[in-house]
Amino acid sequence: MFFELSEAHKEFQKRVQRICEREVSPLVEEYERKKEFPLPLYRTFGAERLLCLRCPKEYDGPGLDKVSECVCMEELNRICAGIGAGFMVHGGLATDPILRFGSESLKQTYLPRAVRGEKIGAFALTEPDAGSDAASIRTIASKDKDGYRLNGSKTFITNGTICDFVTVAAYTDPGKRGIGINLFVVNREDEGFSVIKKLRKLGNHTSDTAELAFDGCYVPRERMIGEREGGGLEQLEETLKSGRITYGARSTGVGQATFDATLSYVKQARRHGEPLKRSQAIRFLLAEMATSVEVMRYTTYRGAWLFDQGIATMKDASMVKLFCSESVQKIVQKAMAIQKAAGLLMENPIQRFLRDARLFKIPEGTSEVHHLVIARELGL
Ligand SMILES: Cc1cc2nc3c(=O)[nH]c(=O)nc-3n(C[C@H](O)[C@H](O)[C@H](O)COP(=O)(O)OP(=O)(O)OC[C@H]3O[C@@H](n4cnc5c(N)ncnc54)[C@H](O)[C@@H]3O)c2cc1C
């Protein structure tokens, strides 16, 4: 057993850290305030080949592995979870189904431009009446000439107002619950596609979230992902398996940032004339936080390694998502307990980490859903 990142991964990590410090850090406060995604970052990260990291060279991608993707996501989320959310959806949920299950022509059309940050992707599964239970979506893709007409609405869609294309889940056969779903790529300019409204959230303010409508939106057959009708749910599950491991990296990044900020606070704060770091209660809390971050990191990179070997199961991915997204809640609560009133100040990043971390329990399977998946895989 070997628990270190390889030399190549360490070099990559240093490069991502330098780019995040130089390009992302200076933008965070301004764009958090504006509640907008800093769009120029798409071109910057595209030029650095830090979007769609697992996309192979033949589509202009860097062709890296899942471990690298987690390294990048951990570093990015250490600086800003909202920006991490946008890039995660673009390089994962929106483009992964095209890369893994799409035709060669779909790949050539969408992937190189997504890799370079010239086109932004979104992914639309959730609906006003269908969240955790994906099989209960109501968006329909009815056959029309050489393609399909999509009718339905989607909500909580990351990159919704800024996307150029969106990978959408819809029923080609609503009679076959779950099995009759397909994924389609819809272009922003397609007639019948519209953004209903931008949604305001508790956290991840720099990530763009929207409600979308598909009103008789025509999509040619070539933009259906996969060769046959049905099977979209399996494509979704494979895509989500990867995304759930990425959530481990996102949680680890926010956990590390919270720990770092709290440690530096404790090192300079004084209470009753004594340095705060002398308090055993405070020292114990910091020791617990540091331990949690380390365990989250090992769990995540083990999951990423299993994914790279092609042997990660749904249970592995669910365990990473459940453990890490719940652990980061405890870390931010401990940081708040240590900093008390100071933690509530808007200029203190701890309040942002608390709000951002809370959202991690919901997308790509809520904590309750991951309990169900793990229990089922345990044969219960
Ligand atoms: C910040 C953010 C970004 C998102 N981005 C996207 C995106 O880009 N694309 C997209 O399609 N969606 C996105 N979503 C939606 C997200 O995937 C859903 O919110 C999630 O699947 C949960 O659905 P829901 O909110 O409708 O809750 P529900 O499914 O209605 O669940 C409500 C509650 O019931 C629990 N529950 C549900 N089913 C069960 C069960 N069988 N047993 C026990 N408990 C259960 C849940 O855990 C939860 O506590 C995003 C959400 C957020 C918060």
Side-chain angles (χ1 to χ4, degrees):
M1 292 175 94
F2 192 63
F3 293 98
E4 282 287 302
L5 289 176
S6 69
E7 285 309 311
H9 285 129
K10 283 185 194 165
E11 277 307 307
F12 177 70
Q13 184 177 41
K14 281 192 211 139
R15 184 164 83 84
V16 175
Q17 280 169 352
R18 278 196 304 273
I19 293 167
C20 285
E21 286 300 340
R22 192 183 65 220
E23 306 289 345
V24 184
S25 292
L27 303 179
V28 175
E29 282 305 314
E30 179 193 345
Y31 282 87
E32 277 283 316
R33 233 184 359 261
K34 293 204 280 198
K35 298 189 171 53
E36 279 175 21
F37 191 96
L39 283 175
L41 276 186
Y42 266 98
R43 288 302 181 102
T44 311
F45 270 59
E48 296 283 355
R49 292 298 181 271
L50 290 177
L51 301 170
C52 313
L53 284 163
R54 283 175 293 119
C55 210
K57 292 199 166 34
E58 63 211 90
Y59 307 112
D60 220 3
L64 296 176
D65 57 8
K66 184 77 196 164
V67 170
S68 305
E69 189 178 65
C70 285
V71 165
C72 185
M73 275 295 146
E74 182 186 333
E75 295 306 326
L76 191 53
N77 281 270
R78 208 163 57 77
I79 308 289
C80 182
I83 295 171
F87 282 166
M88 178 195 173
V89 168
H90 174 79
L93 296 170
T95 47
D96 234 18
I98 299 175
L99 174 63
R100 295 169 74 176
F101 309 106
S103 64
E104 192 50 38
S105 118
L106 263 188
K107 291 182 199 183
Q108 292 294 354
T109 306
Y110 289 94
L111 296 179
R113 281 184 281 182
V115 163
R116 296 193 292 265
E118 294 162 8
K119 297 281 179 194
I120 300 173
F123 168 77
L125 170 65
T126 307
E127 298 183 359
D129 294 324
S132 300
D133 182 15
S136 61
I137 60 168
R138 292 210 203 128
T139 299
I140 302 281
S142 343
K143 255 213 164 103
D144 186 359
K145 295 183 212 123
D146 290 334
Y148 294 86
R149 274 201 194 274
L150 267 57
N151 280 289
S153 61
K154 299 283 180 183
T155 191
F156 292 117
I157 307 309
T158 304
N159 296 340
T161 79
I162 58 172
C163 66
D164 297 290
F165 66 93
V166 49
T167 301
V168 186
Y171 268 107
T172 43
D173 186 350
K176 292 185 183 152
R177 190 179 143 79
I179 303 166
I181 292 176
N182 280 85
L183 300 179
F184 296 87
V185 186
V186 170
N187 292 330
R188 186 183 189 85
E189 59 274 15
D190 284 341
E191 212 174 304
F193 169 75
S194 60
V195 175
I196 301 178
K197 64 173 181 214
K198 181 166 169 166
L199 301 174
R200 297 173 65 223
K201 314 183 294 299
L202 171 78
N204 282 11
H205 283 163
T206 43
S207 83
D208 177 86
T209 311
E211 213 173 299
L212 308 178
F214 302 87
D215 187 7
C217 177
Y218 182 75
V219 186
R221 168 71 187 78
E222 306 82 77
R223 284 202 254 134
M224 184 169 99
I225 299 178
E227 287 180 0
R228 60 182 172 90
E229 287 193 356
L233 213 54
E234 287 133 52
Q235 296 171 353
L236 271 174
E237 289 201 344
E238 276 306 305
T239 307
L240 288 169
K241 192 194 283 181
S242 165
R244 287 166 179 173
I245 295 168
T246 312
Y247 258 92
R250 296 192 66 200
S251 305
T252 306
V254 172
Q256 183 69 58
T258 307
F259 171 78
D260 291 344
T262 310
L263 182 67
S264 85
Y265 170 84
V266 166
K267 280 186 171 168
Q268 51 78 31
R270 295 179 76 84
R271 288 293 175 275
H272 313 298
E274 285 286 312
L276 190 57
K277 64 182 184 189
R278 297 250 176 89
S279 154
Q280 191 182 62
I282 299 290
R283 292 160 74 99
F284 277 23
L285 284 173
L286 277 162
E288 286 169 8
M289 289 165 75
T291 307
S292 292
V293 175
E294 278 308 293
V295 180
M296 286 157 70
R297 187 169 288 122
Y298 284 127
T299 305
T300 298
Y301 288 100
R302 175 184 173 274
W305 180 85
L306 289 173
F307 188 89
D308 284 332
Q309 309 311 306
I311 53 174
T313 62
M314 248 354 200
K315 183 178 78 173
D316 295 322
S318 279
M319 284 178 165
V320 174
K321 168 77 172 36
L322 176 63
F323 180 78
C324 295
S325 63
E326 288 294 336
S327 297
V328 73
Q329 311 303 320
K330 294 176 199 150
I331 291 173
V332 289
Q333 290 301 342
K334 282 173 184 152
M336 280 292 176
I338 292 170
Q339 300 207 28
K340 298 280 193 291
L344 301 175
L345 296 174
M346 290 313 277
E347 57 265 33
N348 187 334
I350 296 290
Q351 50 76 30
R352 171 160 62 87
F353 300 150
L354 174 91
R355 290 183 288 102
D356 286 346
R358 181 59 186 82
L359 270 59
F360 289 178
K361 284 159 63 85
I362 304 169
E364 309 226 11
T366 62
S367 292
E368 290 77 12
V369 165
H370 291 299
H371 280 92
L372 289 175
V373 173
I374 296 164
R376 190 183 61 214
E377 300 278 325
L378 292 173
L380 299 171

